[in-house]
Amino acid sequence: MKKRHINLIITITTISLLGIVFTQLYWVKKAVDLKDEQFNASVRMALKSVANQLLDYHNDSTIRQIQEFGPECIIEKTNIRDLINFSFLDSLMQEEMGCMKINRDYEYAVINYLNDRFVMGKYAEYEPELLRSKHKVSLKALYRPGEYWLVVYFPYQKSMILSQMIVWVILSALFLVVVIFTFSFTIYSFIRQKKLSEMKSDFVNNMTHEFKTPISTISLASEMLLKPFVFKSSEKTKKYAHVIFDENTRLQNQVERVLQIAILDKGEAKIRKKELDIHKVISKIVANFNLVVSKRGGKVLFKPNAKDHIIVADKVHFSSIIANLIDNANKYTPENPKIIISTEDFRDGVKIFVEDNGIGISPENQKQVFKKLYRVPTGNLHDVKGFGLGLYYVKTMVEAHEGSIKIHSELGKGSRFELFLPRSNKKNITHEE
Ligand code: ADP
């Protein structure tokens, strides 16, 4: 699939997913508002019912008189307290709130809004809230003068409503999280698979290319060997036989490198740890590389600073680790490579540094280069052959020796690989022969 199409699919799916999230949030909010509205309506009905029952109870001649003859003459003689019996009001409130399944968590009062005076009720902490509460019913049918209202306040109204819906809210949040997680995971795996398949096809291309050159050289050299003027001359025969031998060795090494990774992946790599003088091993490798590097106008320096340079390690793998790092330092330094290898004591082990003045590695790529088959996308920067296996091998082997590896690098300035290997198990091993 083309990159453009993939990006389009990801964008459309992300937008749809965001749409679902917002719609879901909108519906949850709507449902909460609706419940709130329902609650308010039920409270309104309950208060009306209380007011009506109070009115029915006191619907005697005195009240009728008050209503018929107006407040002027009788107002001083009556008081709202005479009309409403607190325990009766309380029992009515309990009954009505009980019908709404609210047994506690509410305060109520009869308030005169002309002077904000509390006449009676059950209230303790929420007087200001009661004064502002929207749940109220006028008592003017019961007692005209003044502005008397029966008011109720629910301190936990929002949480009561939410607690009724909590299961649905949690379920929808849970499903949303699952959908978002699975979507992100699918995209992540998809991109990973795509990268992996690109890396694999790069690897196959590289391998074919790397194998093609020695194979065609061997084929040319053997063809020459078959020619009478060549096999009659021992000089020429020797020359072509050498070419075949060298190219065959190159092929063998390449096959070996690929096979080594297959062995590593299966976890079947054999590690034979012995006491090892790393300065001795590094010196030999440095001497070999100097032959190659000096031809490119460069040099490999070794600064053996560690005082205790005996560690327990597999000699073959340790040599391959160092050789891989120096080989990379040489490969990725376009001109006059100056490669410095140094050692220093560190806690219960040694640190080994391999430093070059090459092309460097960008911070994003520093995290990736240890991955199997990963090669830095180079653009036109350089055209260096490789399989993307060297650093994967180095890291796997360093970790098999309970060590660690870090990169310090800056694009265009060079790289410094820092290895740490513990001296460990010195006592339980065989001595180097
Ligand atoms: P290969 O060299 O076969 O491609 P490696 O696993 O050895 O594979 O390295 C992975 C990538 O890391 C290389 O493709 C290269 O881009 C980058 N790299 C490794 N060593 C260096 C270095 N010393 N300087 C700059 N880039 C490096």
Side-chain angles (χ1 to χ4, degrees):
M1 210 189 282
K2 281 191 188 138
K3 205 169 174 186
R4 208 155 45 91
H5 291 152
I6 296 168
N7 286 345
L8 192 70
I9 290 175
I10 292 178
T11 316
I12 291 175
T13 326
T14 311
I15 292 173
S16 315
L17 203 64
L18 285 177
I20 293 173
V21 171
F22 283 118
T23 322
Q24 193 75 5
L25 288 177
Y26 174 77
W27 282 118
V28 168
K29 164 112 185 35
K30 269 265 159 212
V32 171
D33 288 350
L34 208 69
K35 271 265 172 207
D36 203 36
E37 210 29 65
Q38 263 179 6
F39 183 84
N40 292 344
S42 314
V43 174
R44 225 176 297 133
M45 273 166 60
L47 287 180
K48 274 204 175 126
S49 160
V50 172
N52 284 340
Q53 290 181 65
L54 285 175
L55 193 62
D56 284 350
Y57 186 69
H58 288 285
N59 201 6
D60 55 17
S61 57
T62 324
I63 296 170
R64 244 178 272 125
Q65 247 181 346
I66 295 169
Q67 287 174 338
E68 275 165 22
F69 300 112
E72 286 85 8
C73 52
I74 305 158
I75 187 167
E76 285 93 26
K77 294 176 194 150
T78 49
N79 185 303
I80 188 144
R81 285 178 196 275
D82 302 331
L83 298 177
I84 303 174
N85 176 301
F86 173 66
S87 46
F88 179 57
L89 172 65
D90 194 49
S91 68
L92 284 179
M93 284 301 286
Q94 276 185 29
E95 191 182 315
E96 289 300 328
M97 291 299 132
C99 287
M100 286 180 64
K101 308 239 168 7
I102 304 172
N103 299 320
R104 294 173 293 119
D105 300 336
Y106 68 92
E107 291 193 355
Y108 71 90
V110 174
I111 303 173
N112 182 358
Y113 276 99
L114 282 184
N115 51 14
D116 287 351
R117 203 166 56 83
F118 283 61
V119 179
M120 65 177 72
K122 248 189 189 169
Y123 50 91
E125 302 169 51
Y126 297 102
E127 289 181 32
E129 285 83 359
L130 267 167
L131 277 172
R132 276 184 272 115
S133 174
K134 58 186 176 196
H135 304 300
K136 56 188 179 188
V137 62
S138 169
L139 296 176
K140 70 175 169 224
L142 188 68
Y143 189 73
R144 182 71 55 83
E147 268 288 327
Y148 290 96
W149 291 73
L150 173 61
V151 189
V152 61
Y153 175 68
F154 303 93
Y156 307 113
Q157 179 172 344
K158 274 270 174 263
S159 46
M160 265 189 308
I161 289 169
L162 278 180
S163 71
Q164 286 168 16
M165 303 191 55
I166 197 74
V167 176
W168 297 108
V169 173
I170 289 180
L171 272 183
S172 56
L174 197 78
F175 287 137
L176 271 184
V177 168
V178 170
V179 170
I180 291 172
F181 177 76
T182 41
F183 169 68
S184 320
F185 185 73
T186 315
I187 296 285
Y188 170 76
S189 329
F190 180 73
I191 292 173
R192 236 179 80 118
Q193 285 300 326
K194 196 167 172 317
K195 260 199 189 146
L196 207 69
S197 88
E198 276 168 10
M199 282 189 330
K200 278 194 175 147
S201 73
D202 279 356
F203 170 73
V204 171
N205 286 345
N206 273 339
M207 201 166 69
T208 325
H209 187 88
E210 296 258 315
F211 287 169
K212 237 166 94 178
T213 324
I215 288 171
S216 54
T217 318
I218 290 172
S219 130
L220 269 178
S222 41
E223 211 180 301
M224 294 301 279
L225 274 180
L226 289 174
K227 301 220 159 118
F229 77 91
V230 174
F231 70 69
K232 278 182 191 144
S233 148
S234 63
E235 190 77 3
K236 283 190 173 132
T237 312
K238 206 169 150 194
K239 184 181 146 198
Y240 288 115
H242 256 300
V243 170
I244 292 174
F245 183 78
D246 288 347
E247 289 302 305
N248 197 44
T249 313
R250 216 171 105 187
L251 258 179
Q252 252 174 354
N253 285 341
Q254 275 163 356
V255 171
E256 199 55 48
R257 267 161 68 194
V258 179
L259 283 181
Q260 222 175 30
I261 298 300
I263 290 170
L264 270 192
D265 279 354
K266 278 195 202 153
E268 289 171 359
K270 288 198 180 75
I271 299 172
R272 296 185 191 87
K273 288 186 186 172
K274 282 182 182 174
E275 237 178 41
L276 199 70
D277 181 347
I278 57 164
H279 283 179
K280 233 160 105 182
V281 178
I282 297 174
S283 299
K284 261 189 208 163
I285 300 171
V286 167
N288 287 342
F289 268 99
N290 253 324
L291 297 175
V292 186
V293 176
S294 60
K295 279 187 196 153
R296 299 185 57 219
K299 57 184 169 216
V300 189
L301 294 176
F302 180 37
K303 296 180 179 168
N305 299 329
K307 299 222 162 42
D308 187 356
H309 37 92
I310 309 290
I311 68 164
V312 174
D314 181 302
K315 190 176 176 183
V316 176
H317 288 302
F318 177 78
S319 310
S320 295
I321 290 170
I322 303 298
N324 259 305
L325 291 177
I326 302 180
D327 187 38
N328 275 352
N330 178 37
K331 271 190 337 190
Y332 298 107
T333 306
E335 280 164 10
N336 308 330
K338 188 175 176 211
I339 303 166
I340 304 168
I341 294 103
S342 55
T343 61
E344 71 183 38
D345 298 295
F346 185 77
R347 292 189 189 143
D348 52 350
V350 260
K351 275 189 175 178
I352 303 163
F353 302 92
V354 180
E355 201 177 331
D356 63 57
N357 54 337
I359 57 172
I361 307 170
S362 68
E364 313 86 73
N365 283 315
Q366 286 175 26
K367 289 181 207 123
Q368 316 266 25
V369 286
F370 294 108
K371 287 184 183 160
K372 192 167 59 173
L373 300 182
Y374 187 85
R375 303 200 73 218
V376 174
T378 50
N380 296 324
L381 265 178
H382 67 93
D383 181 25
V384 182
K385 301 282 169 297
F387 295 142
L389 296 173
L391 289 182
Y392 170 70
Y393 165 82
V394 169
K395 188 169 194 294
T396 314
M397 270 307 146
V398 167
E399 281 167 2
H401 283 80
E402 286 147 50
S404 59
I405 181 161
K406 284 188 211 157
I407 307 180
H408 308 273
S409 184
E410 211 178 310
L411 264 186
K413 294 214 170 140
S415 312
R416 181 173 150 102
F417 285 81
E418 178 187 323
L419 287 184
F420 169 74
L421 290 172
R423 293 194 187 94
S424 70
N425 311 328
K426 263 185 176 175
K427 292 183 186 91
N428 308 326
I429 33 85
T430 46
H431 281 262
E432 197 185 359
E433 54 298 343

